[in-house]
Amino acid sequence: MKDRLESLREEALSALGKIGDLPSLGVWETGFLGRKSRFNLLLKGLGNLSSEDRKTVGQQANGIRDELAAALANRRRELSSVSLSGLSETERIDVSLPGIKPATGHLHLVSQAIAEIGSIFGRIGFHRSVQPEVEWDWYAFESLNMPSDHPARDEWETFFVDAPNHPKLGKMVLTPHTSSGQVREMQRRKPPIRMIGISKCYRRQMDVSHVPMFHQFEGLMVDRGVSVTHLKGVLDHFARTFFGAGRKTRLRPFHFRFTEPSFEVDVSCGVCGGTGRLGDGKCRLCKDGWLELGGAGMVHPNVFRSGGLDPEEWGGFAFGWGVERTMMMRSGLNIPDIRDIYRNDRRFLEQF
Ligand code: DAH
């Protein structure tokens, strides 16, 4: 028994010498000194010895236990001072170094424009609404005074969705313009209405000035006694606030099925100040002092009927045009190709 105790002692001390980290010390301690350690198992044999032997072996065992405990404490001290001195190297912080700036993103320029347009109209009492991205034929065309055989529909190069027809509202399409929001809004709330709807639109088109998915904003005002002068005032408010003080709008007669009379809206050119002339020659941006924004007009009686309102009682105006185009017309922006906006090239997007 004496020899077995001695060899256990040697084994334990040599294992302890090889330990290089604090967690392994804990394992060593349970293995050699713990309650169920081999050392304790050995001591269970003490009871079988004669009282004489029990005394000497017991003394030997106590000596070994004290020795191992002392060696353990020593090793623990050594290892913790090593790991502490290492800490001062590995965890060193130089508080005088300049900080690392966390990367911060920002809203996409179209989201910025949408927020700005919404707030410009919000200030004069127009509330934001959103149109569905998938629409029924009836809302997109029929309700806006464009019967199914009408050639005016060709203007909206519509994507048809491969889905069952609605029994009353007809085919399913990707929303081709936000004007369907006029009728949805009339059905949704009682006049007076002042709405600015900003939503996604889809058309089969793609070149420097067109993308298949784009955004439009649609204004609608319905009340008693609304006239073209109200429309003009609202448009001028937008031109001044979005493009800058001194900018004006003008209305040119046009034709839309859902407004009567209908207009095209132009904004005075910011480069030549609306004169069409720059230095000795013509302004190269606008040619005649005006830039084309989009469509507008007085809501057609049939559109009121679609929305469940009596055209004898209510009047109103509407206007609508593209967010991307309007944004690109801001002087100084100089985006040569509308497709750049959606290419997701950070070198482009980070400039805005
Ligand atoms: N929805 C038309 C388009 O996409 C634009 C438009 C024209 C909207 C006249 C209107 C309006 O509200 O009155 O081309």
Side-chain angles (χ1 to χ4, degrees), residues 144 155-156 176-180 182 201 203 214 216-220 256 258-259 261-264 294-299 317-321:
L144 294 170
E155 294 275 312
W156 288 268
H177 61 162
T178 46
S179 296
S180 44
Q182 294 183 27
C201 302
R203 291 186 205 174
F214 59 104
Q216 282 192 334
F217 58 107
E218 184 86 18
L220 172 71
F256 291 107
F258 33 95
T259 40
S262 300
F263 311 101
E264 288 245 277
M298 304 309 288
V299 177
F317 64 74
F319 57 88
W321 57 89

Side-chain angles (χ1 to χ4, degrees), residues 195-215:
M195 166 198 92
I196 186 77
I198 312 181
S199 299
K200 288 196 174 83
C201 302
Y202 299 86
R203 291 186 205 174
R204 201 180 64 79
Q205 50 182 20
M206 176 87 144
D207 55 40
V208 278
S209 50
H210 297 91
V211 275
M213 187 286 299
F214 59 104
H215 297 78

